[in-house]
Amino acid sequence: MHPFVNPTQLPLLAETDILVIGAGSAGCVAALSAASQKRYSVMLVERYGFPGGTSTQMLDTFYGFFTPGQTPRKVVGGWPDRVVNELAKTGAIFLRPNTYGAGTGVNYNPERLKRVWDQLILQSDIRYLLHTTLVDVHTEGERYACIFWNKAGFCKVIARRVIDASGDADFCHLADFAYETAGEREPAQSMTTTFRMSNVDLDRYEREGGKKMLAAKMRVAVETGQHPLPRKEGSAHEMNAKGCMSTVAVKVTGLSALNVEELTRAEVEGRRQAFVYEDFFRDAVPGFDQSNIIGLSHQIGVRETRRVYGEHRLTKEECLSGNLPDDRIFLCGAPIEDHRQGKNGEDETYWEYIPGAGVYGVPYGTIVPKGSQSVWAVGRCFSATHDAHASCRSMAQTMSMGQAAGLAAVQSLANDEAANGLAISQLQEILYGIGAVLELPDEVADTSRMGWKR
Ligand SMILES: Cc1cc2nc3c(=O)[nH]c(=O)nc-3n(C[C@H](O)[C@H](O)[C@H](O)COP(=O)(O)OP(=O)(O)OC[C@H]3O[C@@H](n4cnc5c(N)ncnc54)[C@H](O)[C@@H]3O)c2cc1C
């Protein structure tokens, strides 16, 4: 806590029952699921001028809805489905079938997704504030006084329950909950500036070999030194806009997103690498010769920073066990996908698939910071080891965490239950009721291009 901010002298912006910090995929869904119960006031506060966090800042594909492999199962439901349904109504999705990687992705138009998040939030009774950053936390009795900064200066929001969906666990950090910082034990996952290229001749690209051809060209470029690409495994995929491709190729390692000097260097380096790739694509990849970068991600993509120590800490062994524990609040079938620097400094992406039925259940305690009575931490700052996090961070899962936390906050207020003493079976009943998937479905999912059934 910062001693220079005296909360008693700050203007009171609002008193709310439930405060959600950060409007990323986890935070938006947390606010929506809490507000859908229509019992308590809900406020959602975001530092940028648009919602969605990583989902709209830099990406265009939801992973984690489907298990990978030849017999995909749809393992997520409820609010995450509603988000995709709203996108589907606008015609702004298609499925990208994949039997490998993270499984079939739900590809969307990220600008359209900003509108969908806005609309869903405005249709709910949520007090929604953009351009407002959490900077400090105090307690007032049993409530939290959260200090924000925006163009009007500092202000205060008093909340009975708080959901930290800031990605970086900013609230938990300021409120002195324990956490592990990425890089403390294992090397932190790399950061990536995504970029989009327009005017690509997709027919030609596919005719000349598509993905496989791209991988071969990247290998040659690196091995011959023709183009100084940072990695051989970068990917590019078709977007939901004609003739446009999106990439996950840039790789920035060894810098911390929690140190602003290093984050600045990472942003600069990410942009530098993006234009090295632009040269490569234009020179070497059939279909791209008349193409240009038309957009860089709003900020560099950060895969992990702080991970709270929760009432339960998800481990690699639990992911690979394929168990469905009794206290589960959602399922995950995504493999461990660890983008890291190898021992000799080389580029490496480590994959490990979930064996057996290819799915595991995630316990409620992973979204409850240790000792917490009234706080939940969701999304990429939830409680997991580095390896487990590398599996359980796709957006279908971060939305599912938000869904459970929003409902848990309502239940906690209604029954006067502590976050760490919640009746989990009651939460599970509500989750079942809204369509969350807590059992492995028998049915193989339709993952054909337009296989999303509303
Ligand atoms: C490069 C990259 C590629 C990825 N590829 C995929 C993919 O293709 N598909 C997939 O499903 N997953 C992918 N992931 C993982 C996934 O996108 C993330 O794990 C997920 O989006 C995290 O969601 P979140 O809501 O927890 O956090 P974020 O999306 O980071 O949202 C946090 C929100 O909180 C706001 N915020 C932060 N601090 C404050 C503060 N102090 N005050 C107020 N607001 C604050 C931020 O602005 C942001 O809007 C990728 C991740 C990266 C980085």
Side-chain angles (χ1 to χ4, degrees), residues 93-152:
I93 67 156
F94 63 83
L95 300 194
R96 199 138 54 78
N98 242 350
T99 52
Y100 64 98
T104 290
V106 182
N107 188 291
Y108 56 83
N109 177 326
E111 303 308 327
R112 182 69 72 176
L113 179 57
K114 288 178 186 166
R115 283 282 297 143
V116 165
W117 287 127
D118 275 345
Q119 282 167 332
L120 286 169
I121 292 163
L122 295 178
Q123 284 158 14
S124 308
D125 196 11
I126 294 171
R127 183 154 179 199
Y128 180 35
L129 215 57
L130 298 173
H131 287 300
T132 301
T133 304
L134 178 80
V135 292
D136 203 4
V137 177
H138 296 255
T139 46
E140 285 193 6
E142 292 191 341
R143 301 185 301 172
Y144 281 101
C146 296
I147 316 299
F148 290 91
W149 185 87
N150 59 30
K151 290 290 179 184

Side-chain angles (χ1 to χ4, degrees), residues 21-27 45-48 52-55 57-59 61-63 132-134 165-167 170 192 301-303 378-380 393-395 398:
I21 295 160
S25 51
V45 185
E46 164 60 39
R47 71 174 156 166
Y48 288 148
T54 311
S55 74
Q57 286 164 19
M58 66 197 72
L59 297 180
T61 311
F62 291 132
Y63 283 123
T132 301
T133 304
L134 178 80
S166 65
D170 282 4
T192 297
V302 176
R303 291 187 170 82
V378 293
R380 66 178 171 82
R393 66 190 177 87
S394 293
M395 291 185 280
T398 56

Side-chain angles (χ1 to χ4, degrees), residues 158-234:
I158 305 283
R160 296 169 70 198
R161 300 289 185 274
V162 177
I163 300 176
D164 184 345
S166 65
D168 298 320
D170 282 4
F171 175 89
C172 290
H173 165 66
L174 293 165
D176 286 336
F177 284 101
Y179 56 82
E180 181 186 338
T181 305
E184 217 173 272
R185 295 168 186 216
E186 299 89 355
Q189 290 218 48
S190 55
M191 292 185 254
T192 297
T193 303
T194 60
F195 61 90
R196 295 151 195 169
M197 297 192 71
S198 68
N199 201 29
V200 180
D201 182 343
L202 283 168
D203 289 341
R204 178 157 177 235
Y205 172 75
E206 290 302 339
R207 256 196 334 270
E208 303 261 358
K211 260 183 194 167
K212 277 196 180 140
M213 172 271 294
L214 177 62
K217 297 270 182 202
M218 283 186 174
R219 244 187 340 269
V220 171
V222 172
E223 280 160 17
T224 59
Q226 226 169 357
H227 291 278
L229 307 181
R231 56 190 295 219
K232 296 182 215 168
E233 294 172 357

Side-chain angles (χ1 to χ4, degrees), residues 226-427:
Q226 226 169 357
H227 291 278
L229 307 181
R231 56 190 295 219
K232 296 182 215 168
E233 294 172 357
S235 67
H237 60 262
E238 177 190 359
M239 286 184 70
N240 216 299
K242 215 169 165 27
C244 291
M245 296 280 276
S246 180
T247 69
V248 181
V250 164
K251 180 162 189 164
V252 179
T253 49
L255 297 172
S256 166
L258 295 174
N259 173 321
V260 82
E261 301 277 358
E262 293 188 23
L263 185 56
T264 303
R265 274 164 43 210
E267 293 282 10
V268 172
E269 172 60 12
R271 284 191 283 275
R272 186 195 70 75
Q273 288 184 18
F275 286 96
V276 170
Y277 273 105
E278 184 189 48
D279 286 346
F280 158 75
F281 274 105
R282 286 167 57 88
D283 281 1
V285 185
F288 280 79
D289 48 322
Q290 300 299 316
S291 151
N292 286 98
I293 285 185
I294 47 155
L296 300 174
S297 48
H298 179 86
Q299 66 150 79
I300 194 164
V302 176
R303 291 187 170 82
E304 56 168 348
T305 47
R306 301 186 184 106
R307 282 175 274 109
V308 300
Y309 283 112
E311 290 287 325
H312 187 103
R313 197 157 173 74
L314 188 70
T315 63
K316 177 179 177 178
E317 291 68 33
E318 284 174 310
C319 300
L320 297 178
S321 72
N323 280 342
L324 303 185
D326 290 345
D327 54 351
R328 64 191 178 276
I329 49 168
F330 65 94
L331 305 184
C332 180
I336 294 171
E337 180 187 344
D338 187 358
H339 297 257
R340 62 191 186 188
Q341 201 165 25
K343 286 197 180 68
N344 306 316
E346 78 285 13
D347 169 40
E348 188 175 277
T349 305
Y350 171 80
W351 295 88
E352 190 162 354
Y353 283 83
I354 314 305
V359 75
Y360 59 91
V362 181
Y364 168 72
T366 61
I367 60 167
V368 182
K370 197 149 193 57
S372 162
Q373 310 267 302
S374 54
V375 175
W376 292 261
V378 293
R380 66 178 171 82
C381 55
F382 85 122
S383 176
T385 61
H386 170 81
D387 300 310
H389 180 269
S391 159
C392 198
R393 66 190 177 87
S394 293
M395 291 185 280
Q397 278 66 42
T398 56
M399 288 192 274
S400 299
M401 295 178 206
Q403 165 165 275
L407 296 174
V410 169
Q411 183 181 323
S412 144
L413 284 166
N415 300 353
D416 197 18
E417 290 172 330
N420 63 354
L422 202 89
I424 298 169
S425 54
Q426 187 181 336
L427 174 63

